[in-house]
Amino acid sequence: MAELADGIFNGISTGSVLLLAALGLSIAFGLMGVINMAHGELMMLGAYTTYVVQNIFKGMGAQWFEVYIFFALIAAFMVTALMGFILERGVIKFLYGRPLETLLATWGVSLILQQFVRSVSWGLVIGIATFCLLFFGGWGITSFRPNWDKIKTWFLVVMFPLSVGIAIALSAVLGNIFKLAITKPWFGAQNVDVSSPLWLRGGTTIGTLQMPYTRLFIIALTITCVIGIYLFLQRSPWGLRMRAVTQNRTMSACLGIPTQKVDSLTFALSSGLAGIAGCALSFLGSVGPNTGQNYIVDTFMVVVVGGVGKLVGSIVAALALGTTNYLIGSGAIASLVKPITPLYDFFTFFATTSMAKVMLFALIVVFLQYKPAGMFPQKGRSVEL
Amino acid sequence: MGIDRRKFLVYGSASLGTAMLLKACGTETPTATTPPTPEASAGTIKVGILHSLSGTMAISEKSVVDAEQLAIEEINKSGGVLGKQIEAIVEDGASDWPTFAEKATKLIDQDKVVTVFGCWTSSSRKAVLPVFESKKHMLWYPVQYEGQECSNYVFYTGAAPNQQIEPSVDWLLENKGKDFFLVGSDYVFPRTANTIIKAQLEAKGGKVVGEDYLPLGNVEVTPIISKIKQALPNGGVIYNTLNGDSNVAFFKQLQGAGMTAEKYPSMSVSIAEEEVKAIGVDFLKGHYASWNYFQTVELPASVKFVEAFKAKYGADRVVNDPMEAAYVAVYFWKAAVEKAGTADDLEAVRKSALGLTFDAPGGMYTLENNHHLAKFVRLGQVRDDGLFDIIFESKAAVPPIPWNQFVAETKGFSCDWSDPAKGGKFKA
C-alpha cells in the first residue's frame, strides 16, 4: 500500500514536471505546427529571469525573499513571451508551412540564445542597443522620405556596416575605459544558483510517503497552468480565434480574423508558458546555458506520444511517461514481479535511471508503430491536408 | 533602382572601411598606453590552449583557460621563458571531441606551437591522443581522471585515482560508515571510478548497497532518491561521481526529500568551489569533496595565486583544483624548457621535465617519471560561504599510480618514461 502511494505520488510528480515543460510546446507545435527547437532555451531564459528576480529580492530583505517566486513567475512569463513575440515576428513568420526550415532556424536561435547568456555583458548590451538605435532608428527616420523605395538598398548597404562598426567600436572603447565593469559577463558560462524560499525547502510526510514541497508546488502550478490554458482557449475571444485559425486558416482570414496577430499571440503564449516552466523547474534542476537542452527531448516525446494538437493528449502522455519512467527506474516493477525470476532479472537490469530511459524509448517506438499519430490523434478533414 | 554591383562594392567597402577604422580607433587606445616590451621584438614562443569555450563543457573549461592565461601573463611579466615572451593561441574545442582533434592538428601544424595545454573530459583527451602521439608532440592535461593511461606525449597534472578516490574511500570507511551507495553519470569516468571503489570496498570490508547511473544532463532524480532511501533507510554514505547539471538536480532534490548531510553524507569528486557556487551553498552545506587543492589552502603560494586570480578576473571569482592544476602545468612546462635550454626540441623538454619540483599553491609538487604529479590529497567539507573546510590532508605528497592496482587487467603494471626500455606500461 505504502509503495503504491509512493509510486503514484512520484509518478505524478515526475509527470507534472514533464507536462509543465511540454505545455508551451504542445501549443506551438499543436496549434501552429511550428517545431520550436528553441523551446528549451526559452525555458532557460525563464530560469535566468528567476535568478535575476531572486537577486533583486534578496537585496530587499528576508520577508520579500519569501515571496519572490510569484514575481519571478510573472516576470519569467513576460520576458519569454516578449522574446517569443520577437522570435515569431523576426524569424518564424517567414517560415510557415516549411517545417524543416523552421526546425533548423529555431535550432539556430537556440544556439544563439545559449551563447548569448554565456557572453552577455554590459558591453554587449550597449553594443546591441547602439546598433538597434542607429540602424532601426535610421530606418524609421529615412523611411519618411518620399524617395524611400529608391534609397532603401543604399541605406542598407551604408547603414548596416556603419552601425555595426560604431556599435563594436563603442563597446570596445567603453570596455577599455571601464574594464571589468563593462566586459565582465553577467552570468558567464557557469551555472548560476537559484535557491527556493524557505517555505519551499524540505517536505511533509504522510505515513511513509515523503512529499517535497517543491514537488507539491510544481504539481499545483501545473494544474493551474492547464486550467488557465483551457479557460483561455475555450472561453476567451482570442482563444476562439486561435482555435478557428488552427482548424482553417484561410476561412478564418476570410471571416476577418487577424491571423497574423493570432499567430504572434499564440507563439507568445507558448513561449510565456516555457518561461513559467523554466522558473518552476529551476527549483529542481540546474540553471545554466544548457538547461534547455536537458528538457527538449522529453518535451517533444510528450507531445508526440500525446498526439499533436490535443492538450488532453499531452496531459495523459506526460503522466503516463512520468509514472512508467519512475516505476521502471526505481525498481518498483522489479520488486513487484520478484517471484518470477526471469522477469525479475529483466526488470532489475533496467532499474537504473539511464537504462529506464532506454526502456521507455523502446516502449515509445513500439507504441508509435501501432498509433503513429499518438494517443489522441486529430480527426477531421484538416488532418489530410 | 540605381545600384549595380560595382557601386555596391564601392560604397559597401567604403562604409565597411569606415566601420573598421572606428573599431581600430576603439581598440588602439590601450595598446598605445602600454609600451611594447623589448622581449616581444626578440620573438615569441607560441603555446596552444585547447579547451571548450562553447557547448556543455564551457561551464568548467572556461575558468581553466583563465587560470592558464593568468600563469602565462605572470611569466611574461617576469621576463618570459628563455628571454622570450609566451604567445598563447586559444582554440575552442566546442565540447565536441572530433573538433578537439581537428584543433589540435591545427595548433601543431599551422600555428607551430611548442606545447598545448588542454582538454577536460576523458573523451576529449582520448580524441586528441592519436594526434599528439603521431606528431610526437606535447599535451598538458589538467584534470583529475580515471587513470589507465600513461602516454609519453602527455603530462597529467590532475589527480590519478589513487590521489583522489582511494584516500577518500578510506576516510569514509573510517569515519562515516561501511554502507555505500554509488551514484554517477553514465560515461567512462564514473563507471571506471565505481569499479575501483567496489574493488576497494570489497578488499577493506565495506559494502555497496546500490549503484545507479544518470544519463549526462538528466535532471529527473526521483527514482535514485527512492532507491537510496530503500537501500539505506537509516542513513549511509553516498559516493557521488555525477558530473555537470545532474549534480544540481541531485542535491536540490536530496534536500527536498529530507535527506540531510548528517544522515546521508556524500563524497563528490566533481564538485569544487565553482560548482558549489552554481549549485547553491544551501543545498551542499556539510557534504564532502575530495581534491588535491582547495581555495582555502593557506600556503603562501596559494594565497598569492588566489589574490592574483581575483585581481585579474574579479573579486567574486573562485579558484578550484583543475584551475590550480592548469596553472601549475604552465609553470612546470616553463621550468622544463628552461632546464632543457630550448622550447623547440620536445624530446629534450620531456627529458628535463622528469623529476622537476615546483612550489605550487597546493604544496611542493614533483613531476614523477610516469608523467603524473606527486601531490597532496585533501578532503573538504562545504561550509557556509561556499568554500571548503579542509578536514583531512595527507602528510606527504602521494605518488601517482596511473595503472590501477584494484583492477585485474592492470594489476602489477606501472609506467616509467625515464627508461626507454620500460615505457608506458610494464610489469613491475
Side-chain angles (χ1 to χ4, degrees):
Chain A
M1 188 58 212
E3 268 175 29
L4 187 70
D6 198 48
I8 290 173
F9 174 76
N10 284 318
I12 290 177
S13 101
T14 318
S16 65
V17 169
L18 286 177
L19 180 56
L20 192 58
L23 264 183
L25 194 72
S26 93
I27 288 179
F29 193 27
L31 298 185
M32 303 171 74
V34 171
I35 301 175
N36 181 16
M37 295 298 281
H39 185 76
E41 274 59 40
L42 290 166
M43 285 171 66
M44 173 199 73
L45 282 187
Y48 271 97
T49 312
T50 313
Y51 172 69
V52 171
V53 173
Q54 170 202 263
N55 285 355
I56 294 172
F57 276 68
K58 231 177 213 165
M60 288 163 64
Q63 74 274 31
W64 281 99
F65 183 70
E66 293 303 298
V67 291
Y68 89 84
I69 161 170
F70 300 104
F71 296 90
L73 281 172
I74 297 166
F77 182 85
M78 308 275 264
V79 169
T80 49
L82 181 71
M83 192 65 215
F85 180 77
I86 296 171
L87 190 59
E88 204 272 343
R89 292 280 90 181
V91 180
I92 294 170
K93 188 174 83 175
F94 307 104
L95 299 170
Y96 282 124
R98 293 193 281 168
L100 192 63
E101 281 92 332
T102 322
L103 187 147
L104 288 174
T106 51
W107 191 52
V109 168
S110 82
L111 295 180
I112 292 173
L113 287 177
Q114 279 177 33
Q115 201 57 40
F116 176 77
V117 298
R118 279 195 197 107
S119 39
V120 62
S121 61
W122 283 112
L124 188 71
V125 171
I126 290 170
I128 291 174
T130 319
F131 170 77
C132 289
L133 197 72
L134 287 175
F135 186 68
F136 293 108
W139 182 299
I141 292 165
T142 12
S143 64
F144 286 117
R145 288 176 66 96
N147 59 343
W148 170 238
D149 277 341
K150 266 191 188 156
I151 57 167
K152 193 174 172 183
T153 331
W154 289 93
F155 177 84
L156 283 178
V157 170
V158 177
M159 271 313 271
F160 185 75
L162 202 63
S163 13
V164 169
I166 294 177
I168 295 177
L170 182 70
S171 63
V173 167
L174 285 176
N176 281 322
I177 297 172
F178 296 105
K179 302 280 180 220
L180 272 183
I182 292 283
T183 52
K184 189 176 173 357
W186 290 357
F187 310 115
Q190 271 79 26
N191 285 5
V192 294
D193 118 61
V194 171
S195 39
S196 37
L198 284 177
W199 55 273
L200 269 181
R201 309 245 178 103
T204 174
T205 329
I206 299 176
T208 54
L209 179 60
Q210 171 87 24
M211 295 192 286
Y213 290 131
T214 34
R215 293 283 182 172
L216 291 174
F217 179 76
I218 285 175
I219 294 174
L221 185 68
T222 312
I223 294 172
T224 320
C225 283
V226 169
I227 294 175
I229 292 168
Y230 178 81
L231 290 179
F232 179 77
L233 285 180
Q234 302 294 328
R235 297 291 155 84
S236 77
W238 278 105
L240 184 68
R241 283 171 209 153
M242 275 184 200
R243 284 182 294 137
V245 173
T246 311
Q247 281 182 5
N248 194 326
R249 177 175 293 268
T250 331
M251 183 54 94
S252 315
C254 288
L255 291 172
I257 294 176
T259 53
Q260 290 212 343
K261 263 190 202 161
V262 168
D263 287 337
S264 300
L265 186 74
T266 315
F267 200 78
L269 177 71
S270 136
S271 310
L273 284 168
I276 289 186
C279 174
L281 297 185
S282 63
F283 301 126
L284 283 186
S286 58
V287 179
N290 308 309
T291 302
Q293 288 180 330
N294 298 339
Y295 293 100
I296 192 74
V297 174
D298 287 345
T299 50
F300 271 104
M301 182 173 83
V302 167
V303 175
V304 169
V305 171
V308 173
K310 285 289 176 72
L311 215 50
V312 61
S314 298
I315 298 170
V316 175
L319 291 178
L321 292 175
T323 315
T324 322
N325 191 16
Y326 174 76
L327 290 179
I328 301 172
S330 70
I333 293 188
S335 56
L336 212 68
V337 295
K338 204 162 192 173
I340 316 160
T341 318
L343 263 184
Y344 176 71
D345 290 342
F346 175 75
F347 279 108
T348 320
F349 178 70
F350 284 102
T352 71
T353 312
S354 65
M355 288 312 285
K357 204 131 213 190
V358 172
M359 185 155 176
L360 193 65
F361 276 115
L363 288 175
I364 290 174
V365 169
V366 174
F367 173 77
L368 289 179
Q369 297 296 319
Y370 290 98
K371 293 210 122 199
M375 286 177 179
F376 296 90
Q378 256 183 341
K379 297 195 180 72
R381 240 183 307 177
S382 65
V383 179
E384 275 103 66
L385 288 174
Chain B
M1 282 289 299
I3 186 154
D4 53 32
R5 198 192 323 173
R6 183 171 300 166
K7 277 184 185 164
F8 175 87
L9 283 174
V10 171
Y11 288 101
S13 46
S15 47
L16 192 70
T18 323
M20 297 284 258
L21 194 70
L22 280 167
K23 161 95 170 101
C25 294
T27 45
E28 236 157 31
T29 340
T31 35
T33 53
T34 45
T37 39
E39 288 89 346
S41 51
T44 56
I45 296 182
K46 283 188 190 169
V47 302
I49 291 181
L50 177 57
H51 286 286
S52 302
L53 303 175
S54 57
T56 331
M57 291 312 297
I59 287 180
S60 313
E61 291 190 61
K62 183 78 183 57
S63 34
V64 171
V65 176
D66 289 345
E68 283 160 354
Q69 281 177 329
L70 172 69
I72 290 172
E73 193 189 277
E74 285 178 3
I75 293 174
N76 280 343
K77 269 191 190 150
S78 61
V81 178
L82 301 175
K84 289 181 182 175
Q85 293 283 293
I86 307 173
E87 183 189 346
I89 296 165
V90 184
E91 283 293 342
D92 178 11
S95 310
D96 179 55
W97 322 140
T99 307
F100 265 92
E102 222 171 80
K103 298 280 181 172
T105 317
K106 185 233 160 203
L107 281 172
I108 296 170
D109 288 348
Q110 200 178 314
D111 299 322
K112 311 272 184 223
V113 298
V114 296
T115 187
V116 177
F117 303 95
C119 299
W120 177 290
T121 58
S122 292
S123 317
S124 64
R125 189 190 68 251
K126 295 273 186 210
V128 300
L129 195 59
V131 176
F132 282 91
E133 297 206 315
S134 67
K135 296 183 191 299
K136 299 197 182 339
H137 216 270
M138 190 189 292
L139 171 73
W140 295 80
Y141 176 69
V143 184
Q144 115 278 12
Y145 79 119
E146 70 280 357
Q148 310 297 63
E149 191 182 296
C150 191
S151 167
N152 193 17
Y153 306 102
V154 183
F155 288 100
Y156 309 81
T157 58
N162 76 306
Q163 293 170 311
Q164 185 186 26
I165 296 172
E166 292 168 30
S168 67
V169 171
D170 285 340
W171 184 85
L172 286 168
L173 278 173
E174 258 171 52
N175 296 293
K176 293 285 161 189
K178 306 234 174 269
D179 291 343
F180 280 56
F181 195 102
L182 312 180
V183 184
S185 292
D186 206 352
Y187 74 105
V188 53
F189 171 71
R191 287 210 178 247
T192 318
N194 284 349
T195 317
I196 296 168
I197 295 170
K198 275 189 279 187
Q200 194 186 347
L201 285 177
E202 206 172 306
K204 294 189 172 165
K207 202 172 113 203
V208 178
V209 294
E211 190 180 355
D212 206 330
Y213 296 95
L214 274 174
L216 267 178
N218 192 313
V219 290
E220 185 54 81
V221 298
T222 317
I224 290 195
I225 288 180
S226 299
K227 270 201 266 184
I228 295 180
K229 270 193 176 162
Q230 267 170 20
L232 297 167
N234 302 314
V237 179
I238 300 170
Y239 205 98
N240 168 28
T241 43
L242 288 173
N243 217 328
D245 292 352
S246 306
N247 264 320
V248 188
F250 182 67
F251 282 104
K252 280 188 178 174
Q253 297 180 35
L254 204 61
Q255 195 192 48
M259 296 157 82
T260 57
E262 287 79 49
K263 208 171 160 194
Y264 293 93
S266 79
M267 178 68 75
S268 306
V269 291
S270 307
I271 292 183
E273 286 82 348
E274 291 240 300
E275 285 76 21
V276 174
K277 217 169 82 173
I279 295 171
V281 186
D282 295 337
F283 303 104
L284 277 171
K285 214 184 293 169
H287 286 286
Y288 301 91
S290 171
W291 291 105
N292 298 129
Y293 173 78
F294 291 104
Q295 186 179 320
T296 39
V297 170
E298 277 167 354
L299 297 170
S302 168
V303 175
K304 193 177 138 248
F305 170 53
V306 175
E307 269 170 13
F309 191 85
K310 286 188 183 245
K312 186 166 160 69
Y313 297 105
D316 58 334
R317 292 287 301 271
V318 289
V319 298
N320 61 24
D321 178 277
M323 284 154 79
E324 187 249 12
Y327 176 83
V328 166
V330 178
Y331 275 99
F332 265 109
W333 168 77
K334 170 187 181 257
V337 166
E338 281 175 346
K339 192 174 156 195
T342 169
D344 300 317
D345 183 359
L346 298 184
E347 203 48 53
V349 175
R350 254 193 290 279
K351 279 252 154 54
S352 58
L354 300 181
L356 283 176
T357 57
F358 177 64
D359 186 15
M364 191 59 88
Y365 293 173
T366 313
L367 212 161
E368 301 272 323
N369 288 343
N370 56 18
H371 281 206
H372 290 64
L373 293 181
K375 327 166 81 170
F376 295 84
V377 180
R378 295 185 171 90
L379 301 179
Q381 185 175 25
V382 181
R383 64 185 196 200
D384 290 340
D385 62 354
L387 298 177
F388 288 85
D389 265 333
I390 299 170
I391 51 161
F392 168 85
E393 192 176 281
S394 61
K395 289 192 184 63
V398 178
I401 305 176
W403 298 111
N404 199 279
Q405 302 304 309
F406 287 107
V407 178
E409 297 89 66
T410 52
K411 193 172 163 64
F413 283 97
S414 64
C415 165
D416 186 350
W417 285 110
S418 64
D419 179 357
K422 288 177 175 171
K425 190 177 182 185
F426 68 97
K427 196 97 183 170

PDB file of all heavy atoms in Angstrom, chain A residues 153-173:
ATOM      1  N   THR A 153      17.953  50.335 -50.747  1.00  0.00           N
ATOM      2  CA  THR A 153      19.134  49.492 -50.883  1.00  0.00           C
ATOM      3  C   THR A 153      20.392  50.236 -50.443  1.00  0.00           C
ATOM      4  O   THR A 153      21.262  49.675 -49.776  1.00  0.00           O
ATOM      5  CB  THR A 153      19.299  49.030 -52.333  1.00  0.00           C
ATOM      6  OG1 THR A 153      18.019  48.960 -52.914  1.00  0.00           O
ATOM      7  CG2 THR A 153      19.980  47.698 -52.394  1.00  0.00           C
ATOM      8  N   TRP A 154      20.472  51.495 -50.854  1.00  0.00           N
ATOM      9  CA  TRP A 154      21.605  52.317 -50.437  1.00  0.00           C
ATOM     10  C   TRP A 154      21.709  52.357 -48.929  1.00  0.00           C
ATOM     11  O   TRP A 154      22.784  52.214 -48.362  1.00  0.00           O
ATOM     12  CB  TRP A 154      21.411  53.768 -50.933  1.00  0.00           C
ATOM     13  CG  TRP A 154      21.576  53.892 -52.398  1.00  0.00           C
ATOM     14  CD1 TRP A 154      20.601  53.833 -53.328  1.00  0.00           C
ATOM     15  CD2 TRP A 154      22.799  54.076 -53.078  1.00  0.00           C
ATOM     16  NE1 TRP A 154      21.126  53.978 -54.577  1.00  0.00           N
ATOM     17  CE2 TRP A 154      22.490  54.125 -54.445  1.00  0.00           C
ATOM     18  CE3 TRP A 154      24.128  54.195 -52.662  1.00  0.00           C
ATOM     19  CZ2 TRP A 154      23.461  54.290 -55.415  1.00  0.00           C
ATOM     20  CZ3 TRP A 154      25.092  54.372 -53.627  1.00  0.00           C
ATOM     21  CH2 TRP A 154      24.751  54.411 -54.995  1.00  0.00           C
ATOM     22  N   PHE A 155      20.560  52.609 -48.357  1.00  0.00           N
ATOM     23  CA  PHE A 155      20.516  52.717 -46.901  1.00  0.00           C
ATOM     24  C   PHE A 155      21.079  51.459 -46.259  1.00  0.00           C
ATOM     25  O   PHE A 155      21.929  51.510 -45.383  1.00  0.00           O
ATOM     26  CB  PHE A 155      19.059  52.952 -46.457  1.00  0.00           C
ATOM     27  CG  PHE A 155      18.903  53.002 -44.967  1.00  0.00           C
ATOM     28  CD1 PHE A 155      19.138  54.173 -44.271  1.00  0.00           C
ATOM     29  CD2 PHE A 155      18.517  51.873 -44.256  1.00  0.00           C
ATOM     30  CE1 PHE A 155      19.004  54.213 -42.899  1.00  0.00           C
ATOM     31  CE2 PHE A 155      18.388  51.913 -42.881  1.00  0.00           C
ATOM     32  CZ  PHE A 155      18.625  53.087 -42.203  1.00  0.00           C
ATOM     33  N   LEU A 156      20.598  50.303 -46.766  1.00  0.00           N
ATOM     34  CA  LEU A 156      21.053  49.030 -46.194  1.00  0.00           C
ATOM     35  C   LEU A 156      22.557  48.883 -46.339  1.00  0.00           C
ATOM     36  O   LEU A 156      23.261  48.556 -45.384  1.00  0.00           O
ATOM     37  CB  LEU A 156      20.351  47.857 -46.884  1.00  0.00           C
ATOM     38  CG  LEU A 156      18.914  47.614 -46.456  1.00  0.00           C
ATOM     39  CD1 LEU A 156      18.326  46.467 -47.252  1.00  0.00           C
ATOM     40  CD2 LEU A 156      18.870  47.288 -44.973  1.00  0.00           C
ATOM     41  N   VAL A 157      23.047  49.133 -47.536  1.00  0.00           N
ATOM     42  CA  VAL A 157      24.467  48.925 -47.813  1.00  0.00           C
ATOM     43  C   VAL A 157      25.337  49.823 -46.937  1.00  0.00           C
ATOM     44  O   VAL A 157      26.366  49.407 -46.415  1.00  0.00           O
ATOM     45  CB  VAL A 157      24.752  49.177 -49.305  1.00  0.00           C
ATOM     46  CG1 VAL A 157      26.252  49.216 -49.560  1.00  0.00           C
ATOM     47  CG2 VAL A 157      24.103  48.110 -50.149  1.00  0.00           C
ATOM     48  N   VAL A 158      24.894  51.077 -46.746  1.00  0.00           N
ATOM     49  CA  VAL A 158      25.728  52.011 -45.988  1.00  0.00           C
ATOM     50  C   VAL A 158      25.519  51.869 -44.487  1.00  0.00           C
ATOM     51  O   VAL A 158      26.471  51.754 -43.730  1.00  0.00           O
ATOM     52  CB  VAL A 158      25.444  53.466 -46.433  1.00  0.00           C
ATOM     53  CG1 VAL A 158      26.265  54.438 -45.590  1.00  0.00           C
ATOM     54  CG2 VAL A 158      25.768  53.623 -47.902  1.00  0.00           C
ATOM     55  N   MET A 159      24.253  51.848 -44.112  1.00  0.00           N
ATOM     56  CA  MET A 159      23.966  51.924 -42.689  1.00  0.00           C
ATOM     57  C   MET A 159      24.312  50.660 -41.920  1.00  0.00           C
ATOM     58  O   MET A 159      24.719  50.712 -40.768  1.00  0.00           O
ATOM     59  CB  MET A 159      22.479  52.271 -42.454  1.00  0.00           C
ATOM     60  CG  MET A 159      22.181  53.748 -42.398  1.00  0.00           C
ATOM     61  SD  MET A 159      23.298  54.675 -41.355  1.00  0.00           S
ATOM     62  CE  MET A 159      22.451  54.563 -39.793  1.00  0.00           C
ATOM     63  N   PHE A 160      24.123  49.509 -42.564  1.00  0.00           N
ATOM     64  CA  PHE A 160      24.334  48.270 -41.813  1.00  0.00           C
ATOM     65  C   PHE A 160      25.773  48.151 -41.313  1.00  0.00           C
ATOM     66  O   PHE A 160      26.015  48.062 -40.113  1.00  0.00           O
ATOM     67  CB  PHE A 160      23.908  47.053 -42.631  1.00  0.00           C
ATOM     68  CG  PHE A 160      23.993  45.773 -41.869  1.00  0.00           C
ATOM     69  CD1 PHE A 160      23.045  45.472 -40.911  1.00  0.00           C
ATOM     70  CD2 PHE A 160      25.041  44.896 -42.076  1.00  0.00           C
ATOM     71  CE1 PHE A 160      23.133  44.306 -40.184  1.00  0.00           C
ATOM     72  CE2 PHE A 160      25.137  43.730 -41.349  1.00  0.00           C
ATOM     73  CZ  PHE A 160      24.176  43.433 -40.401  1.00  0.00           C
ATOM     74  N   PRO A 161      26.765  48.176 -42.233  1.00  0.00           N
ATOM     75  CA  PRO A 161      28.132  48.065 -41.717  1.00  0.00           C
ATOM     76  C   PRO A 161      28.508  49.227 -40.807  1.00  0.00           C
ATOM     77  O   PRO A 161      29.246  49.049 -39.831  1.00  0.00           O
ATOM     78  CB  PRO A 161      29.007  48.079 -42.972  1.00  0.00           C
ATOM     79  CG  PRO A 161      28.110  48.112 -44.116  1.00  0.00           C
ATOM     80  CD  PRO A 161      26.718  48.320 -43.678  1.00  0.00           C
ATOM     81  N   LEU A 162      27.979  50.428 -41.129  1.00  0.00           N
ATOM     82  CA  LEU A 162      28.307  51.601 -40.330  1.00  0.00           C
ATOM     83  C   LEU A 162      27.825  51.425 -38.899  1.00  0.00           C
ATOM     84  O   LEU A 162      28.576  51.637 -37.943  1.00  0.00           O
ATOM     85  CB  LEU A 162      27.665  52.829 -40.962  1.00  0.00           C
ATOM     86  CG  LEU A 162      28.307  54.163 -40.580  1.00  0.00           C
ATOM     87  CD1 LEU A 162      29.748  54.200 -41.076  1.00  0.00           C
ATOM     88  CD2 LEU A 162      27.522  55.326 -41.165  1.00  0.00           C
ATOM     89  N   SER A 163      26.566  50.999 -38.756  1.00  0.00           N
ATOM     90  CA  SER A 163      26.063  50.871 -37.370  1.00  0.00           C
ATOM     91  C   SER A 163      26.749  49.711 -36.652  1.00  0.00           C
ATOM     92  O   SER A 163      27.022  49.810 -35.456  1.00  0.00           O
ATOM     93  CB  SER A 163      24.538  50.712 -37.312  1.00  0.00           C
ATOM     94  OG  SER A 163      23.984  50.440 -38.535  1.00  0.00           O
ATOM     95  N   VAL A 164      27.044  48.620 -37.399  1.00  0.00           N
ATOM     96  CA  VAL A 164      27.784  47.519 -36.766  1.00  0.00           C
ATOM     97  C   VAL A 164      29.122  48.028 -36.261  1.00  0.00           C
ATOM     98  O   VAL A 164      29.513  47.802 -35.109  1.00  0.00           O
ATOM     99  CB  VAL A 164      28.000  46.352 -37.760  1.00  0.00           C
ATOM    100  CG1 VAL A 164      28.991  45.348 -37.194  1.00  0.00           C
ATOM    101  CG2 VAL A 164      26.690  45.665 -38.060  1.00  0.00           C
ATOM    102  N   GLY A 165      29.817  48.781 -37.110  1.00  0.00           N
ATOM    103  CA  GLY A 165      31.137  49.301 -36.753  1.00  0.00           C
ATOM    104  C   GLY A 165      31.080  50.206 -35.550  1.00  0.00           C
ATOM    105  O   GLY A 165      31.856  50.047 -34.599  1.00  0.00           O
ATOM    106  N   ILE A 166      30.135  51.152 -35.579  1.00  0.00           N
ATOM    107  CA  ILE A 166      30.037  52.098 -34.458  1.00  0.00           C
ATOM    108  C   ILE A 166      29.719  51.355 -33.174  1.00  0.00           C
ATOM    109  O   ILE A 166      30.315  51.621 -32.127  1.00  0.00           O
ATOM    110  CB  ILE A 166      28.979  53.181 -34.749  1.00  0.00           C
ATOM    111  CG1 ILE A 166      29.448  54.048 -35.915  1.00  0.00           C
ATOM    112  CG2 ILE A 166      28.748  54.052 -33.526  1.00  0.00           C
ATOM    113  CD1 ILE A 166      28.468  55.103 -36.333  1.00  0.00           C
ATOM    114  N   ALA A 167      28.794  50.392 -33.281  1.00  0.00           N
ATOM    115  CA  ALA A 167      28.407  49.643 -32.079  1.00  0.00           C
ATOM    116  C   ALA A 167      29.605  48.902 -31.493  1.00  0.00           C
ATOM    117  O   ALA A 167      29.881  48.982 -30.291  1.00  0.00           O
ATOM    118  CB  ALA A 167      27.284  48.668 -32.421  1.00  0.00           C
ATOM    119  N   ILE A 168      30.353  48.190 -32.356  1.00  0.00           N
ATOM    120  CA  ILE A 168      31.517  47.439 -31.867  1.00  0.00           C
ATOM    121  C   ILE A 168      32.545  48.397 -31.285  1.00  0.00           C
ATOM    122  O   ILE A 168      33.087  48.174 -30.194  1.00  0.00           O
ATOM    123  CB  ILE A 168      32.152  46.604 -33.002  1.00  0.00           C
ATOM    124  CG1 ILE A 168      31.178  45.526 -33.460  1.00  0.00           C
ATOM    125  CG2 ILE A 168      33.460  45.968 -32.543  1.00  0.00           C
ATOM    126  CD1 ILE A 168      31.676  44.700 -34.606  1.00  0.00           C
ATOM    127  N   ALA A 169      32.775  49.505 -31.989  1.00  0.00           N
ATOM    128  CA  ALA A 169      33.778  50.462 -31.527  1.00  0.00           C
ATOM    129  C   ALA A 169      33.395  51.033 -30.175  1.00  0.00           C
ATOM    130  O   ALA A 169      34.214  51.102 -29.261  1.00  0.00           O
ATOM    131  CB  ALA A 169      33.940  51.580 -32.549  1.00  0.00           C
ATOM    132  N   LEU A 170      32.114  51.391 -30.055  1.00  0.00           N
ATOM    133  CA  LEU A 170      31.660  51.990 -28.804  1.00  0.00           C
ATOM    134  C   LEU A 170      31.865  51.034 -27.628  1.00  0.00           C
ATOM    135  O   LEU A 170      32.410  51.417 -26.592  1.00  0.00           O
ATOM    136  CB  LEU A 170      30.188  52.388 -28.905  1.00  0.00           C
ATOM    137  CG  LEU A 170      29.634  53.070 -27.664  1.00  0.00           C
ATOM    138  CD1 LEU A 170      30.237  54.455 -27.526  1.00  0.00           C
ATOM    139  CD2 LEU A 170      28.108  53.173 -27.718  1.00  0.00           C
ATOM    140  N   SER A 171      31.437  49.762 -27.844  1.00  0.00           N
ATOM    141  CA  SER A 171      31.565  48.841 -26.712  1.00  0.00           C
ATOM    142  C   SER A 171      33.031  48.542 -26.432  1.00  0.00           C
ATOM    143  O   SER A 171      33.422  48.342 -25.290  1.00  0.00           O
ATOM    144  CB  SER A 171      30.765  47.558 -26.943  1.00  0.00           C
ATOM    145  OG  SER A 171      31.265  46.868 -28.044  1.00  0.00           O
ATOM    146  N   ALA A 172      33.870  48.552 -27.475  1.00  0.00           N
ATOM    147  CA  ALA A 172      35.301  48.318 -27.244  1.00  0.00           C
ATOM    148  C   ALA A 172      35.922  49.472 -26.470  1.00  0.00           C
ATOM    149  O   ALA A 172      36.695  49.262 -25.531  1.00  0.00           O
ATOM    150  CB  ALA A 172      36.021  48.140 -28.585  1.00  0.00           C
ATOM    151  N   VAL A 173      35.539  50.699 -26.845  1.00  0.00           N
ATOM    152  CA  VAL A 173      36.085  51.868 -26.150  1.00  0.00           C
ATOM    153  C   VAL A 173      35.651  51.852 -24.689  1.00  0.00           C
ATOM    154  O   VAL A 173      36.472  51.986 -23.778  1.00  0.00           O
ATOM    155  CB  VAL A 173      35.611  53.178 -26.834  1.00  0.00           C
ATOM    156  CG1 VAL A 173      35.911  54.377 -25.939  1.00  0.00           C
ATOM    157  CG2 VAL A 173      36.285  53.339 -28.178  1.00  0.00           C
TER     158      VAL A 173
END
